[in-house]
Amino acid sequence: QVQLVESGGGLVQAGGSLRLSCAASGRTSSSLTMGWFRQAPGKEREFVATILWSDSYTYYADSVKGRATISRDNAKNTVYLHMNNLKPEDTAVYYCAAPKYFSAAFYARADHYDYWGQGTQVTVSS
């Protein structure tokens, strides 16, 4: 089993930045592809970014491309999501997730990910 714990959310003004962290523990946590999703009230969970464990290749949603950077520290089993130029529409609960077996064809699908953190709230004020 794998456990994911997010941290770093909070209240930020529009135009500001923040960094979210996701610490993984448990079986094979050091070899996981890991991603971030977010869910705003009344909306479906949407993909934000994913980073491969093998070569740190990254994928980004168009809505955050150029404003977000996903990175990982394999020694710490931790993935980071740094976002800048935040907008009110970035307000959501942000979830860290990891699939048991990653397929590039499904990197943006929430149902492709088996392990989820509890989420961390990010609120961007205008």
Side-chain angles (χ1 to χ4, degrees), residues 1-9 19-36 51 70-81 94-98 115-120:
Q1 195 59 278
V2 173
Q3 294 79 41
L4 304 174
V5 179
E6 305 98 333
S7 60
R19 188 181 77 164
L20 305 180
S21 300
C22 174
S25 61
R27 183 171 172 268
T28 68
S29 58
S30 62
S31 60
L32 289 173
T33 285
M34 296 178 69
W36 289 93
I51 185 167
I70 187 171
S71 61
R72 67 188 302 153
D73 184 337
N74 288 339
K76 296 181 179 180
N77 290 340
T78 299
V79 171
Y80 305 97
L81 180 69
Y94 282 69
Y95 296 92
C96 178
Y115 307 109
W116 293 85
Q118 81 287 352
T120 185

CSV table of all heavy atoms in Angstrom, one decimal, residues 1-9 19-36 51 70-81 94-98 115-120:
chain,number,residue,atom,x,y,z
A,1,GLN,N,0.8,-1.2,0.0
A,1,GLN,CA,0.0,0.0,0.0
A,1,GLN,C,0.9,1.2,0.0
A,1,GLN,O,2.0,1.2,0.5
A,1,GLN,CB,-0.9,0.0,1.2
A,1,GLN,CG,-2.1,1.0,1.2
A,1,GLN,CD,-3.0,0.7,0.0
A,1,GLN,OE1,-2.7,1.2,-1.1
A,1,GLN,NE2,-4.1,0.1,0.2
A,2,VAL,N,0.4,2.3,-0.6
A,2,VAL,CA,1.1,3.6,-0.7
A,2,VAL,C,0.3,4.6,0.0
A,2,VAL,O,-0.9,4.7,-0.2
A,2,VAL,CB,1.3,3.9,-2.1
A,2,VAL,CG1,1.9,5.3,-2.3
A,2,VAL,CG2,2.2,2.9,-2.8
A,3,GLN,N,0.9,5.5,0.8
A,3,GLN,CA,0.3,6.6,1.4
A,3,GLN,C,0.8,7.9,0.8
A,3,GLN,O,2.1,8.0,0.7
A,3,GLN,CB,0.5,6.6,2.9
A,3,GLN,CG,-0.2,5.4,3.6
A,3,GLN,CD,0.6,4.1,3.5
A,3,GLN,OE1,1.8,4.1,3.6
A,3,GLN,NE2,-0.1,3.0,3.3
A,4,LEU,N,-0.1,8.8,0.6
A,4,LEU,CA,0.3,10.1,0.0
A,4,LEU,C,-0.2,11.2,0.9
A,4,LEU,O,-1.4,11.2,1.3
A,4,LEU,CB,-0.2,10.3,-1.4
A,4,LEU,CG,0.1,9.2,-2.4
A,4,LEU,CD1,-0.6,9.5,-3.7
A,4,LEU,CD2,1.6,9.2,-2.7
A,5,VAL,N,0.6,12.1,1.3
A,5,VAL,CA,0.2,13.2,2.2
A,5,VAL,C,0.6,14.6,1.6
A,5,VAL,O,1.8,14.8,1.4
A,5,VAL,CB,0.9,13.1,3.6
A,5,VAL,CG1,0.4,14.2,4.5
A,5,VAL,CG2,0.5,11.7,4.2
A,6,GLU,N,-0.3,15.4,1.3
A,6,GLU,CA,-0.1,16.7,0.7
A,6,GLU,C,0.1,17.8,1.8
A,6,GLU,O,-0.5,17.6,2.9
A,6,GLU,CB,-1.2,17.1,-0.2
A,6,GLU,CG,-1.6,16.2,-1.3
A,6,GLU,CD,-2.8,15.3,-1.0
A,6,GLU,OE1,-3.0,15.1,0.2
A,6,GLU,OE2,-3.5,14.9,-1.9
A,7,SER,N,0.8,18.8,1.5
A,7,SER,CA,0.9,20.0,2.4
A,7,SER,C,1.2,21.2,1.5
A,7,SER,O,1.6,21.1,0.3
A,7,SER,CB,2.0,19.8,3.4
A,7,SER,OG,3.2,19.6,2.8
A,8,GLY,N,1.0,22.4,2.1
A,8,GLY,CA,1.4,23.6,1.4
A,8,GLY,C,0.3,24.4,0.9
A,8,GLY,O,0.5,25.5,0.3
A,9,GLY,N,-0.9,24.0,1.0
A,9,GLY,CA,-2.1,24.8,0.6
A,9,GLY,C,-2.3,26.0,1.5
A,9,GLY,O,-1.6,26.2,2.5
A,19,ARG,N,3.8,26.6,-3.3
A,19,ARG,CA,4.4,25.3,-3.6
A,19,ARG,C,3.7,24.3,-2.7
A,19,ARG,O,3.7,24.4,-1.5
A,19,ARG,CB,5.9,25.3,-3.3
A,19,ARG,CG,6.6,24.0,-3.8
A,19,ARG,CD,8.0,23.9,-3.5
A,19,ARG,NE,8.3,23.6,-2.1
A,19,ARG,CZ,9.5,23.2,-1.6
A,19,ARG,NH1,10.5,23.1,-2.4
A,19,ARG,NH2,9.6,22.9,-0.3
A,20,LEU,N,3.2,23.3,-3.4
A,20,LEU,CA,2.6,22.2,-2.7
A,20,LEU,C,3.6,21.0,-2.7
A,20,LEU,O,4.4,20.8,-3.6
A,20,LEU,CB,1.3,21.7,-3.5
A,20,LEU,CG,0.2,22.8,-3.7
A,20,LEU,CD1,-1.0,22.2,-4.5
A,20,LEU,CD2,-0.2,23.4,-2.4
A,21,SER,N,3.5,20.2,-1.6
A,21,SER,CA,4.3,19.1,-1.5
A,21,SER,C,3.5,17.8,-1.3
A,21,SER,O,2.4,17.9,-0.7
A,21,SER,CB,5.3,19.2,-0.3
A,21,SER,OG,6.1,20.4,-0.4
A,22,CYS,N,4.0,16.7,-1.7
A,22,CYS,CA,3.3,15.4,-1.6
A,22,CYS,C,4.4,14.4,-1.2
A,22,CYS,O,5.3,14.1,-2.0
A,22,CYS,CB,2.6,15.0,-2.8
A,22,CYS,SG,1.9,13.3,-2.7
A,23,ALA,N,4.3,13.9,0.1
A,23,ALA,CA,5.2,12.9,0.5
A,23,ALA,C,4.6,11.5,0.4
A,23,ALA,O,3.5,11.3,0.8
A,23,ALA,CB,5.6,13.2,2.0
A,24,ALA,N,5.3,10.6,-0.2
A,24,ALA,CA,4.9,9.3,-0.4
A,24,ALA,C,5.6,8.3,0.5
A,24,ALA,O,6.8,8.5,0.8
A,24,ALA,CB,5.1,8.9,-1.9
A,25,SER,N,4.9,7.4,0.9
A,25,SER,CA,5.5,6.3,1.8
A,25,SER,C,4.8,5.0,1.5
A,25,SER,O,3.7,4.9,0.9
A,25,SER,CB,5.3,6.7,3.3
A,25,SER,OG,4.0,6.8,3.6
A,26,GLY,N,5.5,3.9,1.9
A,26,GLY,CA,4.9,2.6,1.6
A,26,GLY,C,5.6,1.9,0.5
A,26,GLY,O,6.7,2.3,0.1
A,27,ARG,N,5.0,0.8,0.1
A,27,ARG,CA,5.6,-0.1,-0.9
A,27,ARG,C,5.9,0.6,-2.2
A,27,ARG,O,5.0,1.2,-2.8
A,27,ARG,CB,4.7,-1.2,-1.1
A,27,ARG,CG,5.2,-2.3,-2.0
A,27,ARG,CD,4.2,-3.5,-1.9
A,27,ARG,NE,4.5,-4.5,-2.9
A,27,ARG,CZ,4.0,-4.5,-4.1
A,27,ARG,NH1,3.1,-3.6,-4.5
A,27,ARG,NH2,4.3,-5.5,-5.0
A,28,THR,N,7.1,0.5,-2.7
A,28,THR,CA,7.6,1.0,-4.0
A,28,THR,C,7.3,2.5,-4.2
A,28,THR,O,7.2,3.0,-5.3
A,28,THR,CB,7.0,0.3,-5.1
A,28,THR,OG1,5.6,0.5,-5.2
A,28,THR,CG2,7.2,-1.2,-5.0
A,29,SER,N,7.2,3.3,-3.1
A,29,SER,CA,6.9,4.7,-3.3
A,29,SER,C,8.0,5.4,-4.0
A,29,SER,O,7.7,6.5,-4.6
A,29,SER,CB,6.7,5.3,-1.9
A,29,SER,OG,7.8,5.2,-1.1
A,30,SER,N,9.2,4.9,-4.0
A,30,SER,CA,10.3,5.6,-4.6
A,30,SER,C,10.3,5.4,-6.2
A,30,SER,O,11.0,6.1,-6.9
A,30,SER,CB,11.7,5.2,-4.1
A,30,SER,OG,11.8,3.8,-4.4
A,31,SER,N,9.5,4.6,-6.7
A,31,SER,CA,9.4,4.3,-8.1
A,31,SER,C,8.1,4.6,-8.7
A,31,SER,O,7.7,4.1,-9.7
A,31,SER,CB,9.8,2.9,-8.4
A,31,SER,OG,8.8,2.0,-7.8
A,32,LEU,N,7.3,5.5,-8.1
A,32,LEU,CA,6.0,5.9,-8.5
A,32,LEU,C,6.0,7.1,-9.5
A,32,LEU,O,6.7,8.0,-9.2
A,32,LEU,CB,5.1,6.2,-7.3
A,32,LEU,CG,4.7,5.1,-6.4
A,32,LEU,CD1,3.9,5.7,-5.2
A,32,LEU,CD2,3.8,4.1,-7.2
A,33,THR,N,5.3,7.0,-10.5
A,33,THR,CA,4.9,8.2,-11.3
A,33,THR,C,3.9,8.9,-10.4
A,33,THR,O,3.0,8.2,-9.8
A,33,THR,CB,4.3,7.8,-12.6
A,33,THR,OG1,5.4,7.4,-13.5
A,33,THR,CG2,3.6,9.0,-13.3
A,34,MET,N,4.0,10.2,-10.3
A,34,MET,CA,3.1,10.9,-9.4
A,34,MET,C,2.5,12.1,-10.1
A,34,MET,O,3.2,12.7,-10.9
A,34,MET,CB,3.8,11.3,-8.1
A,34,MET,CG,4.3,10.1,-7.3
A,34,MET,SD,5.2,10.5,-5.8
A,34,MET,CE,3.9,11.2,-4.8
A,35,GLY,N,1.3,12.4,-9.7
A,35,GLY,CA,0.6,13.6,-10.3
A,35,GLY,C,-0.2,14.4,-9.4
A,35,GLY,O,-0.3,14.0,-8.2
A,36,TRP,N,-0.6,15.5,-9.9
A,36,TRP,CA,-1.5,16.4,-9.1
A,36,TRP,C,-2.8,16.6,-9.9
A,36,TRP,O,-2.8,16.8,-11.1
A,36,TRP,CB,-0.9,17.8,-8.9
A,36,TRP,CG,0.3,17.8,-8.0
A,36,TRP,CD1,1.6,17.6,-8.3
A,36,TRP,CD2,0.2,17.9,-6.6
A,36,TRP,NE1,2.3,17.7,-7.1
A,36,TRP,CE2,1.5,17.9,-6.1
A,36,TRP,CE3,-0.9,18.1,-5.7
A,36,TRP,CZ2,1.8,18.0,-4.7
A,36,TRP,CZ3,-0.6,18.3,-4.3
A,36,TRP,CH2,0.7,18.2,-3.8
A,51,ILE,N,4.5,13.7,-13.2
A,51,ILE,CA,6.0,13.5,-13.5
A,51,ILE,C,6.3,12.0,-13.4
A,51,ILE,O,5.9,11.4,-12.4
A,51,ILE,CB,6.8,14.4,-12.5
A,51,ILE,CG1,8.3,14.3,-12.8
A,51,ILE,CG2,6.5,14.0,-11.0
A,51,ILE,CD1,9.1,15.3,-12.0
A,70,ILE,N,6.1,20.9,-12.0
A,70,ILE,CA,6.1,19.7,-11.1
A,70,ILE,C,7.6,19.2,-11.1
A,70,ILE,O,8.3,19.1,-12.1
A,70,ILE,CB,5.1,18.7,-11.6
A,70,ILE,CG1,5.0,17.5,-10.6
A,70,ILE,CG2,5.5,18.2,-13.0
A,70,ILE,CD1,3.9,16.6,-10.9
A,71,SER,N,8.0,18.8,-9.9
A,71,SER,CA,9.3,18.3,-9.7
A,71,SER,C,9.3,17.2,-8.6
A,71,SER,O,8.3,17.1,-7.9
A,71,SER,CB,10.3,19.4,-9.3
A,71,SER,OG,9.9,20.0,-8.1
A,72,ARG,N,10.4,16.5,-8.5
A,72,ARG,CA,10.4,15.4,-7.5
A,72,ARG,C,11.8,15.3,-6.9
A,72,ARG,O,12.8,15.6,-7.6
A,72,ARG,CB,9.9,14.1,-8.1
A,72,ARG,CG,10.8,13.5,-9.2
A,72,ARG,CD,10.2,12.3,-9.8
A,72,ARG,NE,9.8,11.3,-8.8
A,72,ARG,CZ,8.8,10.4,-8.9
A,72,ARG,NH1,8.0,10.5,-10.0
A,72,ARG,NH2,8.6,9.5,-8.0
A,73,ASP,N,11.8,14.8,-5.7
A,73,ASP,CA,13.0,14.5,-5.0
A,73,ASP,C,12.9,13.1,-4.6
A,73,ASP,O,12.3,12.7,-3.6
A,73,ASP,CB,13.2,15.4,-3.7
A,73,ASP,CG,14.5,15.2,-3.0
A,73,ASP,OD1,15.1,14.1,-3.2
A,73,ASP,OD2,14.9,16.1,-2.3
A,74,ASN,N,13.5,12.2,-5.4
A,74,ASN,CA,13.4,10.8,-5.1
A,74,ASN,C,14.0,10.3,-3.8
A,74,ASN,O,13.5,9.4,-3.2
A,74,ASN,CB,14.0,10.0,-6.3
A,74,ASN,CG,13.2,10.1,-7.6
A,74,ASN,OD1,12.0,10.3,-7.5
A,74,ASN,ND2,13.8,9.8,-8.7
A,75,ALA,N,15.0,11.0,-3.4
A,75,ALA,CA,15.6,10.7,-2.1
A,75,ALA,C,14.7,10.9,-1.0
A,75,ALA,O,14.7,10.2,0.1
A,75,ALA,CB,16.9,11.5,-1.9
A,76,LYS,N,13.8,11.9,-1.1
A,76,LYS,CA,12.8,12.2,-0.1
A,76,LYS,C,11.4,11.6,-0.4
A,76,LYS,O,10.4,11.8,0.4
A,76,LYS,CB,12.7,13.7,0.1
A,76,LYS,CG,13.9,14.3,0.6
A,76,LYS,CD,13.7,15.8,0.8
A,76,LYS,CE,14.9,16.5,1.3
A,76,LYS,NZ,14.7,18.0,1.5
A,77,ASN,N,11.3,10.9,-1.5
A,77,ASN,CA,10.0,10.4,-2.0
A,77,ASN,C,8.9,11.5,-2.0
A,77,ASN,O,7.8,11.3,-1.5
A,77,ASN,CB,9.5,9.2,-1.1
A,77,ASN,CG,10.4,8.0,-1.4
A,77,ASN,OD1,11.0,7.8,-2.4
A,77,ASN,ND2,10.3,7.1,-0.4
A,78,THR,N,9.3,12.6,-2.5
A,78,THR,CA,8.4,13.8,-2.4
A,78,THR,C,8.3,14.4,-3.8
A,78,THR,O,9.3,14.5,-4.5
A,78,THR,CB,8.9,14.8,-1.4
A,78,THR,OG1,9.0,14.2,-0.1
A,78,THR,CG2,8.0,16.0,-1.3
A,79,VAL,N,7.1,14.8,-4.1
A,79,VAL,CA,6.8,15.5,-5.3
A,79,VAL,C,6.3,16.9,-5.0
A,79,VAL,O,5.6,17.1,-4.0
A,79,VAL,CB,5.7,14.8,-6.2
A,79,VAL,CG1,5.3,15.6,-7.3
A,79,VAL,CG2,6.3,13.5,-6.7
A,80,TYR,N,6.7,17.9,-5.8
A,80,TYR,CA,6.3,19.3,-5.5
A,80,TYR,C,5.5,19.8,-6.7
A,80,TYR,O,5.8,19.4,-7.9
A,80,TYR,CB,7.6,20.1,-5.3
A,80,TYR,CG,8.5,19.6,-4.2
A,80,TYR,CD1,9.6,18.8,-4.5
A,80,TYR,CD2,8.2,19.9,-2.9
A,80,TYR,CE1,10.4,18.4,-3.5
A,80,TYR,CE2,9.0,19.4,-1.9
A,80,TYR,CZ,10.1,18.7,-2.2
A,80,TYR,OH,10.9,18.2,-1.2
A,81,LEU,N,4.6,20.7,-6.5
A,81,LEU,CA,4.0,21.5,-7.5
A,81,LEU,C,4.1,22.9,-7.2
A,81,LEU,O,3.6,23.4,-6.2
A,81,LEU,CB,2.5,21.1,-7.6
A,81,LEU,CG,1.7,21.9,-8.7
A,81,LEU,CD1,2.2,21.4,-10.1
A,81,LEU,CD2,0.2,21.7,-8.5
A,94,TYR,N,-6.4,20.5,-4.0
A,94,TYR,CA,-5.4,19.9,-4.8
A,94,TYR,C,-5.1,18.5,-4.2
A,94,TYR,O,-4.8,18.4,-3.0
A,94,TYR,CB,-4.2,20.7,-4.9
A,94,TYR,CG,-4.4,21.9,-5.8
A,94,TYR,CD1,-5.3,22.9,-5.5
A,94,TYR,CD2,-3.7,21.9,-7.0
A,94,TYR,CE1,-5.4,24.0,-6.4
A,94,TYR,CE2,-3.9,23.0,-7.9
A,94,TYR,CZ,-4.8,24.0,-7.6
A,94,TYR,OH,-4.9,25.0,-8.5
A,95,TYR,N,-5.1,17.5,-5.1
A,95,TYR,CA,-4.8,16.1,-4.6
A,95,TYR,C,-3.5,15.6,-5.3
A,95,TYR,O,-3.3,15.8,-6.5
A,95,TYR,CB,-6.0,15.2,-5.0
A,95,TYR,CG,-7.3,15.5,-4.4
A,95,TYR,CD1,-8.2,16.4,-4.9
A,95,TYR,CD2,-7.6,14.9,-3.1
A,95,TYR,CE1,-9.4,16.6,-4.3
A,95,TYR,CE2,-8.8,15.2,-2.5
A,95,TYR,CZ,-9.7,16.1,-3.1
A,95,TYR,OH,-10.9,16.3,-2.5
A,96,CYS,N,-2.8,14.9,-4.6
A,96,CYS,CA,-1.6,14.1,-5.1
A,96,CYS,C,-2.1,12.7,-5.4
A,96,CYS,O,-3.0,12.2,-4.7
A,96,CYS,CB,-0.5,14.1,-4.0
A,96,CYS,SG,0.9,13.2,-4.5
A,97,ALA,N,-1.6,12.1,-6.5
A,97,ALA,CA,-2.1,10.8,-6.9
A,97,ALA,C,-1.0,10.0,-7.5
A,97,ALA,O,0.0,10.6,-8.1
A,97,ALA,CB,-3.3,11.0,-7.8
A,98,ALA,N,-1.1,8.7,-7.5
A,98,ALA,CA,-0.1,7.9,-8.1
A,98,ALA,C,-0.8,6.6,-8.7
A,98,ALA,O,-1.7,6.1,-8.0
A,98,ALA,CB,1.0,7.5,-7.2
A,115,TYR,N,-3.8,5.6,-6.1
A,115,TYR,CA,-3.5,6.1,-4.7
A,115,TYR,C,-3.7,7.6,-4.7
A,115,TYR,O,-3.3,8.3,-5.6
A,115,TYR,CB,-2.1,5.8,-4.3
A,115,TYR,CG,-1.7,4.3,-4.4
A,115,TYR,CD1,-0.8,3.9,-5.4
A,115,TYR,CD2,-2.3,3.4,-3.6
A,115,TYR,CE1,-0.5,2.5,-5.6
A,115,TYR,CE2,-1.9,2.0,-3.7
A,115,TYR,CZ,-1.1,1.6,-4.7
A,115,TYR,OH,-0.7,0.3,-4.8
A,116,TRP,N,-4.4,8.1,-3.7
A,116,TRP,CA,-4.7,9.5,-3.5
A,116,TRP,C,-4.4,10.0,-2.1
A,116,TRP,O,-4.6,9.2,-1.2
A,116,TRP,CB,-6.2,9.7,-3.8
A,116,TRP,CG,-6.6,9.4,-5.2
A,116,TRP,CD1,-6.9,8.2,-5.8
A,116,TRP,CD2,-6.6,10.4,-6.3
A,116,TRP,NE1,-7.1,8.4,-7.2
A,116,TRP,CE2,-7.0,9.7,-7.5
A,116,TRP,CE3,-6.4,11.8,-6.4
A,116,TRP,CZ2,-7.2,10.4,-8.7
A,116,TRP,CZ3,-6.6,12.4,-7.6
A,116,TRP,CH2,-7.0,11.7,-8.7
A,117,GLY,N,-4.0,11.2,-2.1
A,117,GLY,CA,-3.9,11.9,-0.8
A,117,GLY,C,-5.2,12.4,-0.3
A,117,GLY,O,-6.2,12.3,-1.0
A,118,GLN,N,-5.2,13.1,0.8
A,118,GLN,CA,-6.4,13.6,1.4
A,118,GLN,C,-6.8,15.0,0.8
A,118,GLN,O,-7.9,15.4,1.0
A,118,GLN,CB,-6.3,13.7,2.9
A,118,GLN,CG,-5.6,14.9,3.4
A,118,GLN,CD,-4.1,14.9,3.2
A,118,GLN,OE1,-3.5,13.9,2.8
A,118,GLN,NE2,-3.4,16.0,3.5
A,119,GLY,N,-5.8,15.6,0.1
A,119,GLY,CA,-6.1,16.9,-0.5
A,119,GLY,C,-5.7,18.0,0.4
A,119,GLY,O,-5.7,17.9,1.6
A,120,THR,N,-5.3,19.1,-0.3
A,120,THR,CA,-5.0,20.4,0.4
A,120,THR,C,-5.7,21.5,-0.3
A,120,THR,O,-5.7,21.6,-1.5
A,120,THR,CB,-3.5,20.6,0.5
A,120,THR,OG1,-3.2,21.7,1.3
A,120,THR,CG2,-2.8,20.7,-0.9
